[in-house]
Amino acid sequence: MKRVSIKDIARQAGVVPSTVSFVLNGKAKEMRISDEVANKVRAVAEETGYEPNRTAVSLRTGRTKILGLIVEDISNVFFAKLAKIIEDEAYAMGYKILYCSTENDKEKGCELVKMLLHQQVEGFLITPAAGMEREISRLVELNKPVVMMDRYFPGMNIPSVLVDNYGGVKEGMEHLLNKGYRKIAFITVDLNQIQMQQRETAYVETMKAYGIPEEEQVVLKLPYKSNAANAVDRISEFIKEHQDLEAIFFPTNYLGVYGLESIKNLGLSIPGDLAIVCFDDHDIFRLYTPGITIIKQPIEEIATTAIHLLTNQLEDKQQAEELYIFKKPSLVLRGST
Amino acid sequence: MKRVSIKDIARQAGVVPSTVSFVLNGKAKEMRISDEVANKVRAVAEETGYEPNRTAVSLRTGRTKILGLIVEDISNVFFAKLAKIIEDEAYAMGYKILYCSTENDKEKGCELVKMLLHQQVEGFLITPAAGMEREISRLVELNKPVVMMDRYFPGMNIPSVLVDNYGGVKEGMEHLLNKGYRKIAFITVDLNQIQMQQRETAYVETMKAYGIPEEEQVVLKLPYKSNAANAVDRISEFIKEHQDLEAIFFPTNYLGVYGLESIKNLGLSIPGDLAIVCFDDHDIFRLYTPGITIIKQPIEEIATTAIHLLTNQLEDKQQAEELYIFKKPSLVLRGST
DNA sequence: CTGAAAGCGCTTACAG
DNA sequence: CTGAAAGCGCTTACAG
């Protein structure tokens, strides 16, 4: 059951191996090989079920057609969906994907980069953990194309595909404000992460644009790693303290879930007592909340843009013109708000 | 910025390439290379930051240290978690994983097997879609180790790591029955899949063992691809028709979610009006159902067993003694039932 | 103890 | 138009 090689085909077709290689790589015309010979070779390759040995091709050409994808955590739905789409697009273009997860651990992230490098991957798609700057700039020095997703390091000059966090929150806020809501709270997390900061800025500025000064805005910041029970308690308390609240904006889906539980515990109805807008969808919303408005992450756009950006660099060796590409989330109304 | 090769090291250390290879592969002793020479070689390798070219190693040794993992859908939490654990274990043993998803499509599944084969993977971990039998037995003929997970093809003689569906349902049913519940409905899906059938059998037989004959058992079968709204309607109707119901057993988490919505719509309480047991956990349960009992899938056990089964075959070239390995799910009580 | 050489399966510049 | 040959970076059987 030995694999057939280019040599076997050459022997059977009565030509030399190089001829077989040219024919099978579509260079028959270029090399002025007669149709007769070319067809013979193709026929033999066909009937023997020949498949080139990719390892040998890689060694010879220096290309592996393998891309490395480093996400934060493959078991998280957002990244899993991202990975799936990237995988599909990559396969369609003849690339394979090697995945792994940093778990937001700088050390592990750097390890993985090294590992993928040994693995001879040709390019990298990364949602970087903080602290991976050095390792990533090393990749650039090694002339390996890199595209970042969802996060970025300002000033590092690496093409990045990002969610338009500011624009998304602005749109959601305008939706509420245009409906006449004024007392809108923003319940966020105390995390020094660029995405979350952009979202908060958008809240503050959109409110201001509608004539509500910062002093009258209502922001609650929960500690980063607070557990479900604590978060629900804090939010419930907060809602009770602010009896005049008309709406709440949650800048991330987990907060939204906690919020829903608080609202349910307090016996309030949506959107009767409170209107809710949440950045980023969650399965739970589908079932339990006819009156919630979602700002849906543009996962598909991010994935396809990123993979194409990367393969373009690989094929033409040219950089993207735009360094930071922002994808706008879309507003989804589930029932009335 | 050219990579350093074994030749470069040989030159700098004043030896021939083969000596370098022996030293770096830990065969210095075996080849009786002097410590002095060996240390010199190691020092040079260290300071030049030498990393072997895996492609060349693969071509020469015929080994790639890459495993193929084919799941149904990487964007599904169950498979994503499975993949994550497998990836971690594999990396720890020096293997890399190439993932992909069949989307339960026989054609795509077979394509993927071929693709991974071209990619020179050494072994396969597969959650097969129906219809992939031929392609998988081809792998065995090619002498490629295969381990199946979660599903199996009876009589195909391929090591499979499975959930003990029967045992899990039996345990959940006994839990209910021991608490005194007698009128227990089983709401399932009309799908000719081995897992679901085992679960149903367990319901029927456990009921019988407690003295409730099949005529008095209550089973509802929903069509396979019914949407959420239809499913919820059917279940609501069913509950209304069976006023004397004391408990419901859902053999899969999506049905449980639909069931919860029906119960909520009907204004019933859990476990006051109805006790609920569901096979397989779901995020939603965590938030909305203090009185639900879960039969938790043994994801971690499946993943680690499967990967070790595969690597054992690769390292020792020996088959597993047991062909079918069943992992027992665990019963998790959320509040009282 | 060490070195020279073959060969894994390809691709491609070169000679004819 | 076709063929002989080098070489990608390794490993390992063989000779000395």
Side-chain angles (χ1 to χ4, degrees):
Chain A
M1 208 61 199
K2 195 154 167 327
R3 269 179 85 124
V4 340
S5 79
I6 218 168
K7 255 193 210 160
D8 302 323
I9 297 182
R11 200 178 332 104
Q12 284 187 48
V15 298
V16 291
S18 42
T19 305
V20 176
S21 172
F22 289 132
V23 170
L24 265 25
N25 287 308
K27 298 193 179 155
K29 281 276 164 301
E30 198 179 315
M31 290 292 137
R32 306 176 183 214
I33 292 163
S34 67
D35 283 359
E36 193 189 349
V37 171
N39 287 332
K40 180 74 196 273
V41 168
R42 274 188 281 261
V44 175
E46 179 75 22
E47 86 199 22
T48 53
Y50 170 73
E51 285 296 342
N53 178 322
R54 306 284 164 187
T55 305
V57 175
S58 295
L59 181 57
R60 180 61 231 227
T61 60
R63 300 207 53 179
T64 57
K65 289 273 186 176
I66 302 181
L67 271 24
L69 169 60
I70 303 181
V71 297
E72 183 182 319
D73 177 6
I74 194 74
S75 65
N76 174 132
V77 188
F78 176 79
F79 296 110
K81 284 191 180 154
L82 203 67
K84 177 85 167 304
I85 299 165
I86 288 174
E87 182 189 339
D88 288 349
E89 291 286 317
Y91 269 125
M93 294 187 286
Y95 289 90
K96 281 111 238 155
I97 299 280
L98 234 32
Y99 298 77
C100 33
S101 315
T102 64
E103 276 153 64
N104 225 342
D105 174 343
K106 167 192 157 178
E107 302 299 328
K108 188 173 178 209
C110 294
E111 281 281 305
L112 291 175
V113 169
K114 289 205 192 76
M115 202 122 67
L116 290 173
L117 221 36
H118 299 178
Q119 202 52 33
Q120 256 73 36
V121 306
E122 292 187 40
F124 290 80
L125 289 164
I126 309 182
T127 60
M132 287 177 66
E133 291 87 341
R134 291 247 336 249
E135 196 65 30
I136 291 177
S137 50
R138 209 169 69 91
L139 288 180
V140 177
E141 279 163 27
L142 289 170
N143 240 316
K144 296 285 179 187
V146 179
V147 171
M148 295 205 276
M149 295 178 297
D150 196 41
R151 327 278 169 84
Y152 71 108
F153 297 128
M156 255 188 72
N157 242 33
I158 292 179
S160 305
V161 187
L162 303 156
V163 177
D164 179 5
N165 291 296
Y166 187 95
V169 171
K170 180 164 174 258
E171 192 177 346
M173 287 299 299
E174 287 175 347
H175 172 74
L176 284 173
L177 290 157
N178 289 338
K179 289 238 168 194
Y181 294 100
R182 282 296 173 275
K183 272 288 185 192
I184 306 170
F186 189 81
I187 300 188
T188 183
V189 66
D190 199 2
L191 178 59
N192 193 17
Q193 205 173 262
I194 200 141
Q195 302 110 288
M196 296 311 280
Q197 280 164 352
Q198 291 169 337
R199 294 177 196 180
E200 188 175 340
T201 307
Y203 164 79
V204 171
E205 298 185 353
T206 311
M207 287 288 268
K208 218 179 275 177
Y210 275 71
I212 303 161
E214 216 160 329
E215 310 83 70
E216 290 173 32
Q217 298 177 14
V218 199
V219 176
L220 171 64
K221 285 195 191 185
L222 298 172
Y224 176 42
K225 294 234 166 176
S226 55
N227 62 37
N230 282 341
V232 170
D233 283 351
R234 287 286 295 120
I235 296 172
S236 302
E237 230 174 275
F238 175 82
I239 295 175
K240 277 191 287 184
E241 285 168 10
H242 296 266
Q243 292 285 355
D244 52 348
L245 231 45
E246 298 163 350
I248 306 180
F249 193 109
F250 294 99
T252 185
N253 64 11
Y254 274 94
L255 292 174
V257 171
Y258 299 151
L260 288 189
E261 202 179 359
S262 307
I263 289 168
K264 181 184 157 239
N265 289 347
L266 293 169
L268 302 173
S269 77
I270 303 169
D273 300 309
L274 273 174
I276 299 293
V277 175
C278 188
F279 199 102
D280 204 355
D281 209 350
H282 193 289
D283 267 351
I284 293 182
F285 299 160
R286 207 154 306 169
L287 274 175
Y288 284 86
T289 55
I292 194 167
T293 296
I294 309 294
I295 300 165
K296 203 167 186 145
Q297 298 257 33
I299 299 186
E300 176 136 13
E301 289 90 328
I302 293 183
T304 55
T305 307
I307 180 78
H308 290 137
L309 228 46
L310 190 64
T311 51
N312 281 347
Q313 284 186 59
L314 286 167
E315 317 273 287
D316 324 320
K317 284 289 168 203
Q318 68 184 6
Q319 281 277 330
E321 323 79 61
E322 276 185 277
L323 216 49
Y324 300 113
I325 298 178
F326 290 94
K327 295 292 165 187
K328 190 134 190 219
S330 52
L331 204 67
V332 179
L333 311 181
R334 299 201 189 286
S336 60
T337 308
Chain B
M1 208 62 197
K2 195 154 166 327
R3 269 179 83 126
V4 342
S5 80
I6 217 168
K7 255 192 208 159
D8 301 322
I9 297 182
R11 199 175 337 100
Q12 284 187 48
V15 298
V16 291
S18 43
T19 306
V20 176
S21 172
F22 289 133
V23 171
L24 264 24
N25 287 308
K27 297 192 180 156
K29 281 275 163 305
E30 199 179 315
M31 290 294 136
R32 306 176 183 213
I33 291 163
S34 67
D35 283 359
E36 193 190 349
V37 170
N39 287 332
K40 180 73 196 276
V41 167
R42 274 188 281 262
V44 174
E46 179 76 22
E47 85 198 23
T48 54
Y50 169 74
E51 285 296 342
N53 179 323
R54 307 283 165 189
T55 307
V57 175
S58 296
L59 180 58
R60 181 61 233 226
T61 61
R63 299 208 55 181
T64 57
K65 289 273 187 175
I66 302 181
L67 271 24
L69 169 61
I70 303 181
V71 297
E72 184 183 320
D73 176 7
I74 193 74
S75 65
N76 174 132
V77 187
F78 177 79
F79 296 110
K81 284 191 181 156
L82 203 66
K84 176 85 168 303
I85 299 166
I86 289 174
E87 182 190 337
D88 288 348
E89 291 286 318
Y91 268 126
M93 292 187 287
Y95 289 90
K96 281 111 239 157
I97 300 280
L98 233 32
Y99 299 77
C100 34
S101 315
T102 65
E103 276 152 66
N104 225 343
D105 174 343
K106 167 192 157 180
E107 303 298 330
K108 187 172 179 211
C110 294
E111 282 280 306
L112 290 175
V113 169
K114 289 205 191 77
M115 201 122 68
L116 291 173
L117 222 35
H118 300 177
Q119 202 51 34
Q120 256 72 39
V121 306
E122 292 187 41
F124 290 80
L125 289 163
I126 309 182
T127 60
M132 287 177 65
E133 291 86 341
R134 290 250 333 252
E135 195 65 31
I136 291 176
S137 51
R138 210 170 66 93
L139 288 179
V140 177
E141 279 163 27
L142 289 171
N143 241 315
K144 295 285 178 186
V146 179
V147 171
M148 295 207 275
M149 295 177 297
D150 196 42
R151 329 276 169 86
Y152 72 108
F153 296 129
M156 256 188 70
N157 242 32
I158 291 179
S160 306
V161 187
L162 303 155
V163 177
D164 178 6
N165 292 294
Y166 187 95
V169 171
K170 179 162 175 258
E171 192 177 347
M173 287 299 299
E174 287 176 346
H175 172 74
L176 285 173
L177 289 157
N178 289 339
K179 289 236 170 196
Y181 294 100
R182 282 295 172 276
K183 272 286 183 191
I184 306 171
F186 190 80
I187 301 189
T188 184
V189 66
D190 199 2
L191 177 61
N192 192 17
Q193 205 174 260
I194 201 141
Q195 302 109 289
M196 295 311 281
Q197 281 165 353
Q198 291 170 335
R199 295 177 196 180
E200 188 173 341
T201 307
Y203 164 80
V204 171
E205 297 186 352
T206 312
M207 287 288 268
K208 218 180 275 177
Y210 275 71
I212 305 161
E214 216 160 329
E215 311 84 71
E216 291 174 31
Q217 299 177 13
V218 200
V219 175
L220 170 63
K221 286 197 192 185
L222 298 172
Y224 176 41
K225 294 234 166 178
S226 56
N227 61 37
N230 281 341
V232 170
D233 282 352
R234 286 287 295 117
I235 296 172
S236 302
E237 232 174 272
F238 175 83
I239 295 175
K240 277 191 288 186
E241 285 168 9
H242 297 267
Q243 293 286 353
D244 53 347
L245 231 45
E246 299 164 347
I248 305 180
F249 193 109
F250 294 98
T252 184
N253 64 12
Y254 274 95
L255 292 174
V257 170
Y258 299 150
L260 287 190
E261 202 180 359
S262 308
I263 289 168
K264 180 183 158 241
N265 289 347
L266 293 170
L268 301 172
S269 77
I270 303 169
D273 299 309
L274 272 175
I276 298 294
V277 176
C278 189
F279 199 103
D280 203 355
D281 208 348
H282 194 290
D283 267 351
I284 293 182
F285 299 161
R286 207 153 306 168
L287 275 174
Y288 284 84
T289 54
I292 193 168
T293 296
I294 310 295
I295 299 165
K296 202 165 187 141
Q297 298 257 34
I299 299 186
E300 174 136 14
E301 289 89 328
I302 293 182
T304 54
T305 307
I307 180 77
H308 289 136
L309 229 46
L310 190 63
T311 52
N312 280 347
Q313 282 186 60
L314 286 167
E315 318 273 286
D316 323 321
K317 284 286 168 205
Q318 68 184 5
Q319 281 277 332
E321 323 78 62
E322 277 184 278
L323 217 47
Y324 300 113
I325 298 178
F326 290 94
K327 294 292 163 185
K328 191 135 191 217
S330 51
L331 204 66
V332 179
L333 310 182
R334 300 201 189 286
S336 60
T337 307

